[in-house]
Amino acid sequence: MTGTAPRTAPRAAQRQRARAWSPSKGGLLLLAAPLALLALFFVAPLLWVLGQSFAAPAGPLDTYVRIAGDGALRYSLIYTFQTAAIVTVAALVLSYPVAFLISRAQGRWLMIGMVFVLVPFWTSAVIRSYAWLVLLQRRGVVNEMLLALGLIDRPLRLANTDLGTHVAMVQIMLPFMILPLLSAMRGIDLSVLRAAAILGANPWRQFVNVYLPLSMPGVGAGCVLVFISTLGFYITPALLGGSSPMIAVAIEQQVSRLLDWPLASALAAVLLVLTCALFMLYERLNRRLAGAGEAR
Amino acid sequence: MNDMTASTLQRGSLPMSDLPATRGARVEFDHISKDYGDLTVLHETTLTIEAGEFFALIGPSGSGKSTLLGILAGFVPPSYGAVRVDGTDIVAMPPYRRNIGMVFQNYALFPHMTVAENIGFPLKMRGCSRGEIGERVKKALAMVRLEAMGERRPAQLSGGQQQRVALARAAVYDPRLLLMDEPLGALDKNLREEMQEEIKRFQRAFGATVIYVTHDQQEAAFLADRLAVMRGGMLEQIGSPRQLYEMPGTHFVASFLGEASLLPVAEILSREGREVTVRTPGGLTIRALAPSRVSERRALCLRPENIALGAAAQGRDNRFLGTVEEAVFTTGTLRYRVRLPGSDGLVTVRVPSLPGIELLAPGSSVEIGWDAAMAVTIAED
Amino acid sequence: MNRTAATPFWRIASAGLVLFAVLVLVYLVLPTLVIVPLSFSSDTFLKFPPSGFSTRWYESFAASADYHFAILNSLKIGVPAALVATAFGVMAALAVVRGAIPFRRTLAALVIAPLILPQIVLAIGLFPLMAKVGLVGTYPGIVLAHAVVTMPLVFITVSAALRNYAPTFELAAMTLGAGPWRTFLYVTFPMIRPGVIVGFIFALTFSFDELILAMFLTSPTTRTVPRLLWEQLNFQMTPVIAAATVVLLGATIALLCLAALTGARARRRLAGEAKGAGA
């Protein structure tokens, strides 16, 4: 009775593939409407951006050549990367202990922790950037307090500096780091730490050799998420400024002030490709995270 | 499903008879198979289940028994073949038109509905009036002795009660075919035995054909009129529980149903009707039973309770002086592993543990014996 | 890290850890809350600490026709966008989680992508396309754009809700005689309702807060609250913005509390039913 062995004259009708009813046949039908929406209002505009980036009158690669040749734009790209890296590392360092403690909290403490993370997460970036402007401007809260305390005698320049912008961006990005870390840490079975302790590991070794590796998928996912989001950050850098515009701000300036759509599209295409590559990385990490969760 | 059309006309899209089915449906799997690309999970299978029969499908997980049930219920589209219920091919029919009752492993009671709403759901889908639903739900609740539980949520019931609700829900619309997929798997041992009795009573009163999937051979033997042992996507053997236990066709069936000792066969010396004399590689000459096709049968199957020990071995067709290697008390029986003379290995012997009977010490010699009819030749694999 | 190893050194280390985390949490919420006292200031410019208490900025916020229109616009855009996102997000989640479709993971990634992609990229692609068909500055244009970027939120919450229970419930409903539509109506939808509601609220909140697409795709007559705030921020810094911000913050937090309550109720219900829902 093996699958491919010739059988004694099965009736012709039985050898045809059965035209059977299948419970999951409606899947593609259900997907039609969402896919149509995505095709028209997501995929088409992105393709248009890509097309437009090669549509400069001087030649298909002209815009990219101009970006490479324009010192300010080149610096803007580098600056954006630098900022994304700084914000990611800072967010990770600040988030890890917080996520660890929330992941082990229960009842009321867990709720308080989650409120502290989720409320900023869902508060508009416009509002939060505005708050930072209020804090950091020349006659802002921070300067007034430092003056009142006598620590400085002249207001410091905080807004429009890299430091001020980074401090604000890190605060806005923290929830994007804490949430993936939390979901990874919640999946860690704490009995492995007890096992490590019994085997003679002190708390530091338990952390480095057991806990940290197990939380790595969350670290990876959080870092990619924060990095991607910072690459495309517009609101905070546009409001608070810094030593150079971020890419998103540069794109907006090209379009609304210089009306240079091909150049803006080329910058957007660079951002799009980078984001896509990082998003795929994120998907892989997420899958590994989900895999680890299922194996539990 | 032949009389389906008449009631369909009367009552809308779904068939339903007003009286409990007096006779179950006849089910035929006709050259049915299932593959996922290169992976074949069910090899071509042909099987007929008679009307009103309690039929069990048993086998380890991955043996294809759930696939077969899924094909019948309509969850798994078969790759080839036909499934006929009372002569009608149902393969192209969606589950909601098949009018088959099903009890799921974890009951699948809708958590957002009360017990009464759960049981009334199939009636509602068949367009019954509110009054009729109320009445029939009440009757169904009485049948499973849960009259007072109608307004509870499934989560508020015990496992056994949930099981009974699932049974009532699957039976309330009088399907002529009832499928049960490991319905007792989630219950503990004592409750399981109690529910087995209940299911058996229920089927007798209800009269539907029941196809029951389980990996528990005792449960299957207790409940079923006939059972099919499945393995690796194929039917290994079909028969009554007793036939399968006493006359297993293969090593797999012999060891899946109860305990068995296997002795290899080197050579068949003679044959007289159904009785054969064989020689083992270790040099023993044994008289045994050969139901059919002797040439394929390369092993002997011995059930532990069929081997006599000590004085009781006197006068048996086969007698040997063995050595006790292992002796343990289990509830109700004394279980020995006895080494046969020569190099044929060990056989398991089980005798009732009557008060006053001493356990034989390991290392002691003991005579064991059995009649020819107690050793069955089987196919070795 | 572990109670069994509570030597003084590790006790101090873990106290330090807690302190550090508390400081981070303060950093996370406090800056936003600084706006609250400022919004009640009696000064005509943002000054800290405020020299007096008044509700004048709330009064001028309430009296402002611009804010009225913007809030109305945000509702006219947010509610339909969230409804479209919810309907389509539920369909996509059902197809991806329950259906047998090819390229399942790729399709799921595609549905989530609009949330991840920087909105500026989508905005400069959508603007010219929508301009060609006359959608820029209209309600349908921004509604559809917001529907695309908020659909992932519904997709994620509803997918999680679907993964929370076994498909056996739907199979059971089918054996009992319910066709696909009635199975969805009587079984699937009641099971995923909390996820759908939470997804809808998330989508609404997101649309309410979204700036960049609104900047490109709305006109002065369809201008949303974030766009109005943004325009005002760029040329004046009066505490009326603070008042508006506090009102928006309150609305956001209220919506999130609603979402949290819905989620908590669903979890409690599911916890009670976990026994019946296994495998």
Side-chain angles (χ1 to χ4, degrees):
Chain A
M1 279 253 201
T2 47
T4 48
R7 253 161 304 246
T8 45
R11 274 182 286 158
Q14 285 152 1
R15 290 312 305 159
Q16 278 169 21
R17 282 248 149 205
R19 274 202 315 207
W21 186 87
S22 156
S24 42
K25 258 184 186 161
L28 282 175
L29 209 67
L30 272 172
L31 213 51
L35 281 184
L37 184 75
L38 282 169
L40 284 176
F41 297 100
F42 184 67
V43 179
L46 298 186
L47 290 177
W48 197 89
V49 167
L50 285 176
Q52 195 65 14
S53 74
F54 297 112
L61 289 175
D62 174 59
T63 49
Y64 294 97
V65 173
R66 269 164 66 205
I67 292 172
D70 183 324
L73 285 178
R74 221 172 43 221
Y75 182 65
S76 169
L77 281 170
I78 295 166
Y79 175 77
T80 305
F81 259 87
Q82 267 177 0
T83 306
I86 292 168
V87 169
T88 305
V89 171
L92 178 62
V93 170
L94 296 181
S95 297
Y96 201 93
V98 175
F100 172 72
L101 287 176
I102 294 178
S103 77
R104 301 203 55 186
Q106 273 169 7
R108 193 191 311 158
W109 290 111
L110 175 65
M111 211 184 74
I112 292 172
M114 289 311 283
V115 166
F116 270 62
V117 177
L118 286 176
V119 167
F121 181 65
W122 282 107
T123 304
S124 160
V126 177
I127 293 178
R128 286 201 279 160
S129 306
Y130 168 61
W132 277 108
L133 191 61
V134 169
L135 283 169
L136 298 177
Q137 64 187 294
R138 206 167 164 73
R139 311 275 320 185
V141 178
V142 172
N143 272 325
E144 293 290 342
M145 291 220 314
L146 292 175
L147 284 171
L149 290 170
L151 289 172
I152 52 173
D153 41 31
R154 233 160 14 95
L156 295 172
R157 193 167 163 242
L158 295 170
N160 276 315
T161 64
D162 287 349
L163 178 68
T165 310
H166 288 163
V167 167
M169 284 203 257
V170 170
Q171 188 247 355
I172 289 169
M173 286 299 158
L174 273 180
F176 288 96
M177 185 64 88
I178 295 177
L179 292 173
L181 280 177
L182 257 180
S183 85
M185 286 175 176
R186 284 230 183 105
I188 296 176
D189 181 1
L190 288 176
S191 62
V192 299
L193 290 187
R194 259 169 261 141
I198 286 164
L199 297 172
N202 68 26
W204 173 247
R205 309 238 35 145
Q206 289 169 39
F207 173 73
V208 171
N209 293 345
V210 181
Y211 196 84
L212 188 64
L214 287 173
S215 67
M216 272 327 267
V219 171
C223 286
V224 173
L225 208 53
V226 170
F227 197 88
I228 289 178
S229 307
T230 312
L231 277 186
F233 220 151
Y234 173 80
I235 295 168
T236 312
L239 197 63
L240 290 174
S243 58
S244 161
M246 301 271 285
I247 305 185
V249 180
I251 293 172
E252 196 266 341
Q253 284 172 352
Q254 290 296 331
V255 168
S256 58
R257 290 185 208 162
L258 307 168
L259 299 175
D260 193 341
W261 285 86
L263 191 68
S265 297
L267 282 172
V270 172
L271 191 52
L272 174 63
V273 168
L274 284 172
T275 308
C276 276
L278 287 166
F279 180 54
M280 280 189 245
L281 187 71
Y282 169 76
E283 276 290 299
R284 286 186 82 153
L285 287 168
N286 234 354
R287 213 169 294 170
R288 256 178 47 198
L289 191 65
E294 277 155 23
R296 217 162 65 237
Chain B
M1 294 251 160
N2 286 333
D3 48 10
M4 192 175 113
T5 33
S7 51
T8 306
L9 290 173
Q10 281 166 11
R11 216 187 278 279
S13 61
L14 286 160
M16 191 174 52
S17 47
D18 288 312
L19 293 166
T22 48
R23 195 181 66 89
R26 178 186 150 101
V27 178
E28 293 163 89
F29 291 97
D30 188 354
H31 296 85
I32 207 91
S33 68
K34 176 66 185 172
D35 51 60
Y36 296 97
D38 290 341
L39 180 73
T40 303
V41 292
L42 184 68
H43 295 276
E44 204 172 280
T45 298
T46 296
L47 171 67
T48 301
I49 294 149
E50 296 301 334
E53 200 174 11
F54 198 121
F55 192 91
L57 288 166
I58 63 171
S61 51
S63 60
K65 56 190 197 306
S66 295
T67 306
L68 204 56
L69 201 71
I71 288 172
L72 184 52
F75 308 150
V76 180
S79 304
Y80 295 101
V83 182
R84 280 186 284 275
V85 175
D86 283 340
T88 312
D89 189 354
I90 58 165
V91 161
M93 215 184 263
Y96 45 90
R97 297 208 194 288
R98 293 189 183 192
N99 206 35
I100 292 172
M102 179 148 181
V103 178
F104 290 82
Q105 188 169 10
N106 289 287
Y107 322 131
L109 297 175
F110 305 130
H112 55 284
M113 298 183 195
T114 63
V115 166
E117 284 167 345
N118 261 287
I119 299 176
F121 185 80
L123 302 173
K124 190 168 153 189
M125 292 302 111
R126 284 163 173 76
C128 291
S129 70
R130 278 185 149 210
E132 194 186 345
I133 293 176
E135 218 169 277
R136 295 183 68 158
V137 167
K138 221 167 123 188
K139 243 190 266 170
L141 280 170
M143 190 169 66
V144 292
R145 293 177 284 114
L146 289 171
E147 293 93 333
M149 302 292 183
E151 292 317 304
R152 299 238 185 140
R153 295 279 171 135
Q156 293 168 299
L157 302 184
S158 71
Q161 289 171 331
Q162 290 184 19
Q163 217 284 324
R164 300 215 294 269
V165 175
L167 202 58
R169 186 178 69 174
V172 70
Y173 49 104
D174 298 329
R176 300 174 59 210
L177 175 59
L178 195 55
L179 312 182
M180 300 197 189
D181 185 7
E182 307 246 9
L184 306 181
L187 302 180
D188 62 44
K189 193 168 176 287
N190 290 337
L191 196 52
R192 204 155 63 216
E193 281 165 8
E194 201 180 296
M195 286 305 302
Q196 284 173 13
E197 309 248 2
E198 193 146 332
I199 288 175
K200 193 149 189 171
R201 260 203 308 278
F202 181 88
Q203 194 251 350
R204 280 195 196 123
F206 191 60
T209 306
V210 174
I211 302 181
Y212 191 102
V213 163
T214 179
H215 62 260
D216 182 339
Q217 39 98 11
Q218 277 183 12
E219 191 175 298
F222 176 83
L223 287 169
D225 300 321
R226 272 200 307 158
L227 45 87
V229 180
M230 295 197 69
R231 178 197 189 188
M234 279 189 261
L235 288 176
E236 187 94 353
Q237 195 176 359
I238 306 170
S240 73
R242 189 147 181 201
Q243 273 169 350
L244 261 54
Y245 185 77
E246 289 174 358
M247 295 282 166
T250 63
H251 181 177
F252 180 77
V253 174
S255 46
F256 196 78
L257 286 160
E259 207 176 353
S261 303
L262 278 295
L263 292 178
V265 171
E267 194 184 349
I268 294 161
L269 300 174
S270 68
R271 180 176 177 114
E272 243 176 84
R274 294 180 68 200
E275 212 180 289
V276 289
T277 305
V278 302
R279 198 174 55 224
T280 65
L284 302 179
T285 304
I286 300 173
R287 286 169 61 196
L289 209 60
S292 63
R293 287 197 297 183
V294 180
S295 58
E296 277 181 16
R297 305 196 164 240
R298 309 311 298 175
L300 289 178
C301 166
L302 286 164
R303 294 295 182 188
E305 66 275 15
N306 290 347
I307 301 175
L309 207 63
Q314 291 300 319
R316 304 289 176 173
D317 295 341
N318 304 293
R319 274 182 297 144
F320 304 102
L321 194 64
T323 316
V324 176
E325 292 238 328
E326 208 183 285
V328 285
F329 169 82
T330 64
T331 47
T333 56
L334 303 176
R335 189 173 172 282
Y336 297 103
R337 301 274 289 150
V338 179
R339 182 167 294 283
L340 288 170
S343 57
D344 291 317
L346 298 158
V347 291
T348 305
V349 183
R350 210 160 49 204
V351 296
S353 72
L354 303 172
I357 290 190
E358 289 283 323
L359 206 57
L360 295 169
S364 54
S365 293
V366 64
E367 190 170 30
I368 58 171
W370 61 89
D371 284 328
M374 300 296 169
V376 183
T377 57
I378 58 171
E380 180 60 283
D381 47 11
Chain C
M1 301 267 297
N2 199 305
R3 278 189 203 103
T4 52
T7 61
F9 174 78
W10 293 113
R11 227 176 293 158
I12 292 165
S14 63
L17 189 75
V18 172
L19 185 69
F20 180 82
V22 168
L23 287 175
V24 173
L25 289 179
V26 167
Y27 165 59
L28 202 49
V29 289
L30 216 53
T32 318
L33 297 183
V34 163
I35 310 175
V36 179
L38 285 173
S39 71
F40 289 102
S41 160
S42 58
D43 306 316
T44 50
F45 57 94
L46 288 171
K47 182 168 169 290
F48 197 86
S51 49
F53 174 88
S54 90
T55 54
R56 56 186 283 204
W57 301 115
Y58 284 91
E59 282 152 27
S60 54
F61 167 73
S64 156
D66 280 351
Y67 277 108
H68 273 191
F69 273 114
I71 289 171
L72 215 59
N73 279 335
S74 276
L75 281 172
K76 279 188 198 162
I77 290 161
V79 172
L83 283 174
V84 172
T86 304
F88 284 33
V90 169
M91 284 193 256
L94 277 173
V96 168
V97 177
R98 290 282 194 258
I101 50 167
F103 310 112
R104 183 193 304 259
R105 286 188 187 284
T106 315
L107 284 170
L110 177 66
V111 176
I112 293 173
L115 189 66
I116 308 285
L117 189 85
Q119 266 120 39
I120 188 77
V121 179
L122 187 59
I124 69 160
L126 268 177
F127 177 82
L129 290 187
M130 283 198 169
K132 273 185 196 157
V133 291
L135 279 174
V136 170
T138 66
Y139 288 112
I142 184 71
V143 164
L144 287 168
H146 275 185
V148 166
V149 291
T150 56
M151 188 168 72
L153 295 165
V154 181
F155 176 79
I156 291 167
T157 54
V158 173
S159 296
L162 283 171
R163 289 206 178 90
N164 241 332
Y165 72 94
T168 334
F169 290 113
E170 278 105 5
L171 295 181
M174 285 195 182
T175 64
L176 297 171
W181 170 244
R182 288 200 287 186
T183 299
F184 176 77
L185 194 67
Y186 291 118
V187 179
T188 313
F189 186 70
M191 300 289 291
I192 60 171
R193 185 163 38 207
V196 174
I197 294 172
V198 170
F200 175 81
I201 294 174
F202 281 1
L204 194 63
T205 314
F206 191 97
S207 167
F208 258 72
D209 286 347
E210 200 284 325
L211 171 68
I212 296 164
L213 290 166
M215 249 165 47
F216 278 83
L217 300 175
T218 59
S219 66
T221 52
T222 57
R223 171 168 75 178
T224 60
V225 179
R227 181 171 168 180
L228 176 65
L229 275 179
W230 188 250
E231 283 169 6
Q232 298 211 332
L233 275 180
N234 280 320
F235 70 97
Q236 58 171 11
M237 284 287 288
T238 63
V240 72
I241 300 176
T245 299
V246 171
V247 171
L248 286 180
L249 202 59
T252 308
I253 291 173
L255 275 177
L256 291 179
C257 286
L258 203 64
L261 281 177
T262 312
R265 250 185 45 205
R267 266 195 298 284
R268 263 206 306 283
R269 213 188 66 183
L270 266 179
E273 286 150 5
K275 262 196 307 183

